[in-house]
Amino acid sequence: MDRRSLLLCGLAAALSACGEPAPRKTGGVGTARQGDRVTSSASVPVGSGVLVDMPGNAQLLVVQPRSGEFRAFNPACPHVGSLVNPPAGGVITCPLHGSAFDPATGAVRKGPATSGLSEVAVALSGEDVVLA
């Protein structure tokens, strides 16, 4: 086998081993319903938050702005839909165009987004954060 054929064969094997790319996650609750567990309260740091995978290839941003207070937001930036990052330094930021949001309310602090993150109702049930 010549060098070119060997390289093409190796590339084809590598691509087939990788399979199809994973679908891009969307923001929201996906196929979850009221009462479904979102995450454990212990996994959400006070003053920060985490992106949580939801059924149906979706994600939620769960935050704990103050001890024992849990809120959740659809992490899709209202500007163009890119998923925002969890809070850092007291702000939620969109990596695509730099919009900034308040981690306690989801309100827009800096554009280009002109509206805040959509809140998703959650409640504490024992040690779990659940959809309300």
Side-chain angles (χ1 to χ4, degrees), residues 41 124-129:
S41 59
L124 197 56
S125 177
E127 297 297 314
D128 290 331
V129 177

Side-chain angles (χ1 to χ4, degrees), residues 29-40 52-56 60 62 120-125 128-132:
V29 298
T31 58
R33 297 182 183 178
Q34 184 178 0
D36 285 353
R37 180 182 185 274
V38 176
T39 191
S40 73
V52 178
D53 288 337
M54 299 297 290
L60 277 183
V62 180
V120 174
V122 294
L124 197 56
S125 177
D128 290 331
V129 177
V130 299
L131 290 177

